[in-house]
C-alpha cells in the first residue's frame, strides 16, 4: 500500500490537463466577446494601488440619508418561516475568533446643515477600509475624525495607518503629516485580537443575546439572516449567512438630538480569510508630506505605547489592563509627582508588599474600579476593590500590577454599553481630592490566554524580560476568591 | 506574489480591465479544465463546462464583487456546472433510455486538452470515486480550496468533508497501488 501522502502528491503534481492552443484561443475569443457584449459603458481606467485609492476618493455629499435607509428597508424580505439556522448571531464570537485575515470596507456618515439652505441637511459619507492580518499582527486602516476649534471652524481629518509587529506609520491626509512609532509586540497582538470586534462595532458576546432575527435577504446569491438590536440611542443590524456564518453587512444607526435614527456607520464588504495583497502593508507615505520623524527615530511610548496623562499634580501611565474569566481585572500603572524629579527612585514603595495586600503608595493610586452604565437599562454600577498583585520595573519606571475584584458576590452581565473607570486617590505633598479617573480598557482574557497576554505584558515591562513567577492563572484566581470572600458580605 | 496578483486582478476586473480578464483566464484555464475533467471524465463535456464558466465570469464585469479567493470562485462555478451537466445527462438517460453522448462529438487534433498517460491513469482512478469524494479530493488537491469552503459548497459539515477526503484518498491508494511511484 502506498501512503496517502504519495497519493496526494501524485494528484497534486501529476494530474494535469493542458488546453491545446486552438482550444485556448477559441475559448479566449468567446470570453472576450462575452465581456464586450456585457459592457454597458466604456471601461473605467484602472487607477493606482488599493492603498491609495480611497484616499483619493472625493468626500461624497448626499442630499438625504432617509432615501438610503428607505431603500435598505425596502430591500428586506421579511420572513415568516421558523427554520432553525445553522449559524446564529450568538456564534459570532466563535467565528470571529477563527479569523486569520479580515477585510472590511465601510462608510462613516456625518451630518451637517448648510447655513444657506437650513431646510436641507447634507450627509458626508467617508469611506473607510480595514485589512487585518491576524497571524502577522499587521493592520492597514483608513479612518476619519471630526474636529472643531473655539473660533468655530470645523473639519474632518482623514487618517491612514499601517501598523505592524514592530513599527506603526500614521498619515494625516488633511494636515499632510506623517509620523512613525515603534510598537509593542504584546500590544499589537492584543490590539489585533480586539480590532476584529472593535471594527465590527463591538458586537460582543454579552450584547449578542439582545439581538433578534427580523428578516432575511439574499445578497449576491447568498441567503442572510438579518439580526437586529435596538438600544436606547443605537440600532444595529447585522446580516449573517446561516449556512456559513459569513457576515454580509453591518449597519449602525444612532439617534440624533431630535430622536431620529440616522445611519452612522455601515459595512457592506466584509471578507474574512481573504489573501491580503502584500503592498497593503507597505510603508509608502506621500513624499511631499511633512514628516514628524522617521523609522530610525521612532520610539515606543511609555507603558507599552500608551503614553502619559495628568491628574492634577500626578503624572500617570496606565500601561495595560485585562479582564479575567471571573470578572476580576488586572491593571498595570505607574505614576509620579510632577513637581519632583521624575527619576526619583520608587523602589522603597514596593518593599514589603504582598500579593492580596495593600497597594503601593505611589503619587496616584488606583484603589478601585467602578462600572458606569452608559444607558438606562444597563446593570447597576459595580465597584471593584484593588489589591497588590505584583510589580515590574522597566528602565527607571516601576509598574504596579493590581488585582481588582468586584465587591458584589456575582456581578450580573452587562446588558448594554458601559465603561470601567478608575477610582484614584493621591499621595502628594499637597492635598488632592480623590477622583474618578479615565476609563480602562477591559480586554477580556480567556484562561488559556493568560500566559500569552498577562505574563507576556509583564515580561515586556520587566528589565529582565521575565514575569514574576507567582503570577499564574491559578494563583490569581485563588487570590481573587480570597479577596472576594473578605470583601463581600 | 500570486496572492497579491489575484487581489489586483479582482480589482482591475471589477473596473472593466480586459487585460485582467485575459490574465485570469490564462492563469486558471488549465486548473479549471483539470478539475472539470476529473469530475466528469469526459473531455468534451469538461471543455464545455470550462467554456461556460469563463464566459459567464466575463459577463459579470463591473458588477463583480467577490468575497474570497478567485480560484475558489471559479472552482465553485465549475462544480456547479458539472452538477448541472450531470443532472441534464441523467434526465436525458431517463428520457431516452440510453447513455447521453458527449456534448461535442468531434474535435480537431489540436483543439483538445492534452494530458500525459499518467494523468489519464490518475483521472481514471479519480473518476471511480463517488461524486462527493471526487469533488472533495479534486477541490482540495487541485484548487487548494479549504475544507471549510468545500463544506459550504457541499452544504455539509466540515467533519463530513474531511471524512470524504480520507475515504477518497484511501480508495485512491488502493486503486493506484503500484502506480503512484511511476
Amino acid at each position: 500500500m502506498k501512503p496517502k501522502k504519495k497519493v496526494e502528491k501524485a494528484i497534486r503534481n501529476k494530474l494535469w490537463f493542458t488546453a491545446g492552443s486552438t482550444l485556448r484561443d477559441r475559448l479566449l475569443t468567446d470570453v472576450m466577446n462575452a465581456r464586450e457584449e456585457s459592457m454597458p459603458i466604456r471601461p473605467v481606467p484602472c487607477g493606482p494601488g488599493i492603498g491609495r485609492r480611497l484616499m483619493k476618493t472625493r468626500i461624497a455629499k448626499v442630499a438625504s440619508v432617509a432615501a438610503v435607509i428607505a431603500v435598505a428597508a425596502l430591500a428586506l424580505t421579511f420572513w415568516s418561516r421558523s427554520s432553525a439556522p445553522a449559524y446564529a448571531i450568538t456564534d459570532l464570537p466563535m467565528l470571529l475568533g477563527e479569523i486569520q485575515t479580515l477585510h472590511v470596507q465601510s462608510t462613516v456618515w456625518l451630518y451637517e446643515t448648510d447655513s444657506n439652505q437650513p431646510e436641507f441637511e447634507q450627509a458626508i459619507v467617508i469611506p473607510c477600509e480595514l485589512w487585518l492580518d491576524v497571524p502577522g499582527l499587521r493592520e492597514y486602516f483608513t479612518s476619519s475624525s471630526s474636529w472643531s476649534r473655539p473660533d468655530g471652524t470645523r473639519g474632518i481629518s482623514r487618517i491612514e495607518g499601517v501598523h505592524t509587529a514592530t513599527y506603526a506609520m500614521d498619515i494625516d491626509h488633511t494636515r499632510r503629516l506623517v509620523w512613525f512609532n515603534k510598537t509593542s509586540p504584546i500590544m499589537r497582538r492584543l490590539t489585533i485580537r480586539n480590532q476584529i470586534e472593535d471594527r465590527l462595532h463591538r458586537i460582543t458576546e454579552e450584547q449578542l443575546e439582545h439581538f433578534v432575527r427580523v428578516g432575511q435577504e439574499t445578497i449576491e446569491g447568498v441567503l442572510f439572516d438579518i439580526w437586529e438590536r435596538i438600544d436606547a440611542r443605537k440600532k444595529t443590524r447585522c446580516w449573517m449567512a446561516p449556512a456559513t456564518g459569513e457576515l454580509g453587512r453591518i449597519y449602525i444607526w444612532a439617534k440624533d438630538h431630535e430622536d431620529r435614527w440616522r445611519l452612522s456607520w455601515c459595512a457592506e464588504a466584509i471578507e474574512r480569510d481573504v489573501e491580503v495583497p502584500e503592498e497593503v502593508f507597505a510603508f509608502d507615505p506621500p513624499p511631499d508630506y511633512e514628516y514628524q520623524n522617521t523609522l530610525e527615530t521612532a520610539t515606543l511610548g511609555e507603558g507599552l505605547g500608551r503614553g502619559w496623562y495628568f491628574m492634577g499634580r500626578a503624572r500617570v501611565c496606565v500601561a495595560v489592563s485585562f479582564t479575567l474569566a471571573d470578572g476580576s481585572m488586572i491593571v498595570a500603572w505607574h505614576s509620579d509627582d510632577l513637581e519632583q524629579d521624575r527619576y526619583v527612585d520608587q523602589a522603597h514603595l514596593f518593599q514589603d508588599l504582598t500579593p492580596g495586600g495593600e497597594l503601593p503608595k505611589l503619587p496616584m493610586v488606583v484603589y478601585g474600579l467602578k462600572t458606569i452604565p452608559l444607558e438606562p437599562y444597563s446593570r447597576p454600577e459595580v465597584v471593584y476593590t484593588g489589591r497588590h498583585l505584583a510589580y515590574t520595573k522597566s528602565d527607571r519606571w516601576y509598574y504596579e500590577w493590581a488585582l481588582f475584584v468586584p465587591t458584589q458576590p456575582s456581578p450580573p452581565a452587562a446588558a448594554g454599553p458601559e465603561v470601567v473607570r478608575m477610582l484614584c486617590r493621591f499621595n502628594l505633598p499637597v492635598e488632592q481630592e480623590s477622583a474618578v479617573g479615565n476609563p480602562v480598557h477591559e480586554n477580556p482574557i480567556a484562561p488559556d490566554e493568560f500566559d500569552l497576554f498577562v505574563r507576556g505584558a509583564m515580561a515586556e515591562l520587566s528589565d529582565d524580560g521575565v514575569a514574576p513567577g507567582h503570577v499564574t492563572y491559578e494563583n490569581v484566581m485563588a487570590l481573587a476568591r480570597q479577596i472576594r470572600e473578605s470583601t463581600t458580605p | 506574489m500570486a496572492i497579491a496578483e489575484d487581489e489586483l486582478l479582482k480589482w482591475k476586473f471589477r473596473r472593466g480591465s480586459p487585460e485582467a480578464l485575459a490574465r485570469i483566464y490564462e492563469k486558471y484555464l488549465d486548473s479549471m479544465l483539470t478539475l472539470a475533467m476529473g469530475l466528469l471524465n469526459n473531455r468534451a463535456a469538461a471543455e464545455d463546462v470550462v467554456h461556460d464558466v469563463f464566459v459567464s465570469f466575463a459577463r459579470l464585469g463591473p458588477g463583480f464583487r467577490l468575497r474570497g479567493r478567485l480560484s475558489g470562485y471559479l472552482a465553485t462555478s465549475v462544480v456547479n456546472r458539472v452538477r448541472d451537466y450531470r443532472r441534464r445527462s441523467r434526465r436525458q438517460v431517463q428520457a431516452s433510455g440510453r447513455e447521453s453522448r458527449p456534448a461535442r462529438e468531434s474535435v480537431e487534433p489540436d483543439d483538445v486538452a492534452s494530458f500525459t498517460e499518467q494523468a489519464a491513469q490518475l483521472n481514471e482512478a479519480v473518476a471511480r470515486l463517488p461524486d462527493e469524494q471526487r469533488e472533495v479530493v479534486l477541490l482540495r488537491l487541485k484548487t487548494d480550496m479549504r475544507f471549510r469552503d468545500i463544506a459550504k459548497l457541499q452544504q455539509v459539515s466540515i467533519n463530513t468533508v474531511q471524512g470524504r477526503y480520507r475515504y477518497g484518498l484511501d480508495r485512491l491508494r488502493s486503486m493506484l497501488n503500484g502506480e503512484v511511484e511511476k
Side-chain angles (χ1 to χ4, degrees), chain A residues 2 4 6 8 11-12 15 17-18 20 22 24 30 35 44 53 244 246 268 271 273 275, chain B residues 3 11 15-16 25 30 51 65-67 110 112 114-115 142 144 148 152 165 170 173 181:
Chain A
K2 302 298 174 191
K4 282 185 194 173
K6 287 189 176 173
E8 286 179 325
I11 301 286
R12 205 183 282 277
L15 180 57
F17 293 81
T18 309
T22 307
R24 193 173 287 273
D30 289 352
R35 176 195 159 276
V44 179
R53 179 163 49 90
T244 62
E246 179 186 6
E268 292 203 311
E271 301 175 301
D273 295 346
E275 287 151 349
Chain B
I3 296 168
W11 182 67
R15 279 157 183 74
Y25 167 81
D30 286 346
H51 170 273
R65 220 184 80 193
L66 173 62
R67 303 163 195 281
D110 63 346
V112 298
S114 63
F115 47 92
K142 299 312 297 180
D144 285 330
R148 173 162 99 186
K152 180 178 160 186
Y165 182 73
D170 279 342
R173 188 180 58 173
E181 285 186 322

Side-chain angles (χ1 to χ4, degrees), chain A residues 1-4 6-8 10-28 30-32 34-40 43-50 53 98 103 105 131 219-220 224 243-244 246-248 268-279, chain B residues 3-4 7-8 10-12 14-18 21-22 25-26 29-31 33-34 37 47 50-51 54-55 58-59 62 65-69 104 110-116 118-119 122-123 126 137-138 140-142 144 146 148 152 165-166 169-170 172-174 176-178 180-181:
Chain A
M1 286 287 176
K2 302 298 174 191
K4 282 185 194 173
K6 287 189 176 173
V7 177
E8 286 179 325
I11 301 286
R12 205 183 282 277
N13 299 333
K14 307 288 186 189
L15 180 57
W16 276 110
F17 293 81
T18 309
S21 59
T22 307
L23 172 65
R24 193 173 287 273
D25 293 345
R26 179 170 59 79
L27 286 185
L28 181 59
D30 289 352
V31 167
M32 299 314 282
R35 176 195 159 276
E36 279 299 317
E37 288 163 11
S38 68
M39 293 296 287
V44 179
C46 294
I50 291 169
R53 179 163 49 90
E98 293 174 350
H103 182 209
Q105 287 177 295
W131 286 94
I219 304 171
E220 296 175 8
F224 288 90
T244 62
E246 179 186 6
L247 287 173
E268 292 203 311
I270 304 166
E271 301 175 301
R272 67 182 190 204
D273 295 346
V274 288
E275 287 151 349
V276 186
E278 201 55 35
E279 62 268 26
Chain B
I3 296 168
E7 287 301 317
L8 286 173
K10 278 160 58 177
W11 182 67
K12 287 180 178 178
R14 199 161 59 219
R15 279 157 183 74
S17 161
L21 176 60
Y25 167 81
E26 188 60 36
L29 173 62
D30 286 346
S31 58
L33 194 58
T34 303
M37 191 63 192
E47 289 173 10
V50 171
H51 170 273
F54 278 106
V55 165
R59 287 188 178 131
R65 220 184 80 193
L66 173 62
R67 303 163 195 281
R69 299 163 57 185
R104 286 183 292 110
D110 63 346
D111 191 17
V112 298
S114 63
F115 47 92
T116 63
Q118 187 172 23
L122 285 167
N123 206 57
V126 170
V137 168
L138 288 171
R140 179 70 185 157
L141 295 177
K142 299 312 297 180
D144 285 330
R146 292 168 301 190
R148 173 162 99 186
K152 180 178 160 186
Y165 182 73
R166 278 197 308 275
L169 284 188
D170 279 342
L172 283 173
R173 188 180 58 173
S174 301
L176 295 170
N177 189 21
V180 174
E181 285 186 322

Side-chain angles (χ1 to χ4, degrees), chain A residues 206-481:
Chain A
E206 63 268 21
Q207 295 172 19
L208 291 172
E209 293 173 5
H210 298 269
F211 274 87
V212 292
R213 200 165 40 157
V214 297
Q216 286 186 313
E217 184 182 1
T218 299
I219 304 171
E220 296 175 8
V222 179
L223 180 68
F224 288 90
D225 283 340
I226 303 166
W227 296 85
E228 186 176 83
R229 173 195 162 105
I230 301 178
D231 301 327
R233 306 205 64 81
K234 179 177 161 187
K235 182 165 71 176
T236 305
R237 198 171 269 187
C238 182
W239 281 251
M240 186 179 192
T244 62
E246 179 186 6
L247 287 173
R249 294 175 180 160
I250 299 175
Y251 278 41
I252 310 273
W253 291 266
K255 271 193 176 171
D256 67 5
H257 59 284
E258 293 177 3
D259 273 357
R260 296 172 300 183
W261 287 115
R262 296 304 186 91
L263 187 63
S264 63
W265 183 85
C266 69
E268 292 203 311
I270 304 166
E271 301 175 301
R272 67 182 190 204
D273 295 346
V274 288
E275 287 151 349
V276 186
E278 201 55 35
E279 62 268 26
V280 162
F281 300 117
F283 280 16
D284 183 24
D288 55 338
Y289 280 21
E290 182 184 337
Y291 284 58
Q292 301 292 294
N293 61 353
T294 65
L295 272 180
E296 289 69 32
T297 58
T299 56
L300 176 66
E302 191 60 42
L304 304 176
R306 282 280 163 75
W308 299 99
Y309 65 94
F310 304 102
M311 290 190 72
R313 187 172 150 167
R315 191 174 70 144
V316 182
C317 168
V318 177
V320 67
S321 47
F322 301 105
T323 303
L324 306 179
D326 69 340
S328 54
M329 294 186 70
I330 292 174
V331 180
W333 88 91
H334 162 82
S335 87
D336 54 27
D337 182 347
L338 273 176
E339 300 295 320
Q340 288 189 357
D341 178 358
R342 63 170 57 175
Y343 302 133
V344 63
D345 188 3
Q346 295 179 325
H348 64 284
L349 298 176
F350 292 87
Q351 286 176 352
D352 305 324
L353 296 180
T354 56
E358 291 296 312
L359 296 163
K361 291 184 171 48
L362 286 161
M364 187 207 74
V365 179
V366 185
Y367 69 91
L369 303 174
K370 183 181 184 181
T371 62
I372 298 181
L374 298 179
E375 292 180 3
Y377 58 75
S378 293
R379 63 176 172 174
E381 291 181 354
V382 178
V383 177
Y384 297 68
T385 298
R387 292 283 188 272
H388 174 72
L389 174 63
Y391 74 91
T392 59
K393 178 174 171 291
S394 176
D395 195 4
R396 39 189 175 254
W397 315 120
Y398 284 82
Y399 289 89
E400 165 64 12
W401 295 76
L403 178 63
F404 295 89
V405 179
T407 52
Q408 284 86 339
S410 174
E418 61 182 20
V419 292
V420 180
R421 285 184 176 269
M422 299 184 295
L423 302 176
C424 307
R425 63 173 171 243
F426 301 91
N427 296 297
L428 295 162
V430 294
E431 187 74 20
Q432 185 166 318
E433 286 188 11
S434 298
V436 177
N438 286 353
V440 292
H441 296 268
E442 296 197 54
N443 293 326
I445 298 293
D448 60 354
E449 294 177 317
F450 187 89
D451 286 353
L452 175 66
F453 286 115
V454 180
R455 288 186 57 79
M458 285 182 147
E460 202 170 312
L461 273 181
S462 297
D463 286 335
D464 59 2
V466 178
H470 70 279
V471 182
T472 64
Y473 180 73
E474 291 74 19
N475 286 350
V476 171
M477 286 295 102
L479 187 58
R481 276 195 299 275

Side-chain angles (χ1 to χ4, degrees), chain A residues 121-133:
Chain A
E121 188 179 56
Q122 68 179 3
I124 301 171
V125 185
I126 302 170
C128 298
E129 183 164 29
L130 170 75
W131 286 94
L132 282 184
D133 164 19

Side-chain angles (χ1 to χ4, degrees), chain B residues 77-124:
Chain B
S77 303
V78 167
V79 168
N80 286 335
R81 285 189 182 269
V82 165
R83 289 175 181 172
D84 289 345
Y85 175 83
R86 285 187 190 133
R87 275 195 290 272
R88 281 200 310 272
S89 299
R90 276 196 287 270
R91 279 201 295 272
Q92 284 173 9
V93 170
Q94 285 164 359
S96 65
R98 60 184 173 82
E99 283 293 321
S100 64
R101 290 181 302 174
R104 286 183 292 110
E105 286 184 292
S106 63
V107 288
E108 296 297 321
D110 63 346
D111 191 17
V112 298
S114 63
F115 47 92
T116 63
E117 186 182 345
Q118 187 172 23
Q121 288 171 345
L122 285 167
N123 206 57
E124 283 297 326

